[in-house]
Amino acid sequence: MQINFKRYGLYLVRWQLSTPILAGVGIILVSMGQLASAIIANLIGGLIFFWVDQFIFTSHALDSQWEVKENITCVDCGKTARGYRLVRTKDYDRTDDPEPEFRCEACSIKKSDELKEQGFNH
C-alpha cells in the first residue's frame, strides 16, 4: 500500500483541530445536558469537517507520491545508492508499473525537471 504522507499529515492536523472546536461547542451547550451537548457538537463537527476531509482525500494538489528504496541501481547512471521514483501526481501515474525505474538523487532531480518541462506537475 502506498501512503500519501501529505494527505495523512493534513488529516492528523485536521483531527487535532477538531478537538478544541468540539470542546468549545460542548462547553457552551453543557446546560442542555451532556448527551445533547455531545450530539450537537458532533453534528457541528460533521458539518465543518466533512468538507475539510473531502478536500484532503480528493484534492489533486495533494496527489504526488514518491517511493524511496535503499541500495538500488540507478537506471540512468548505474550508480548504487538510495533510489527515488515518482509514483503518481496529477498528470502522471505509474502506480502499477511492472518495472519501476529508480534513480539516484542527482538523476531523480534531472528527471523531475524533464517531467516539469513536459507539463507534469508534481
Side-chain angles (χ1 to χ4, degrees), residues 5-114:
F5 287 104
K6 278 195 274 186
R7 287 186 201 276
Y8 188 55
L10 280 173
Y11 179 74
L12 293 176
V13 168
R14 193 282 306 163
W15 191 261
Q16 293 304 311
L17 291 175
S18 68
T19 302
I21 292 170
L22 298 180
V25 172
I27 290 168
I28 292 168
L29 300 176
V30 77
S31 63
M32 298 177 69
Q34 292 177 342
L35 182 60
S37 176
I39 290 170
I40 293 170
N42 281 315
L43 287 172
I44 291 170
L47 289 170
I48 296 169
F49 294 112
F50 171 81
W51 303 106
V52 175
D53 288 349
Q54 186 174 16
F55 169 77
I56 290 171
F57 292 110
T58 62
S59 173
H60 290 296
L62 304 172
D63 274 350
S64 294
Q65 289 183 333
W66 288 83
E67 186 176 1
V68 180
K69 281 190 177 179
E70 297 295 330
N71 298 318
I72 59 90
T73 301
C74 177
V75 297
D76 292 339
C77 70
K79 180 172 138 183
T80 300
R82 175 181 289 166
Y84 304 87
R85 83 173 183 111
L86 179 61
V87 178
R88 184 175 63 142
T89 189
K90 182 179 179 184
D91 303 320
Y92 181 91
D93 190 351
R94 299 292 189 267
T95 305
D96 297 321
D97 191 345
E99 296 181 29
E101 295 181 344
F102 286 88
R103 291 172 171 77
C104 67
E105 185 174 358
C107 292
S108 179
I109 291 169
K110 183 179 174 185
K111 178 69 174 186
S112 182
D113 291 341
E114 289 173 9

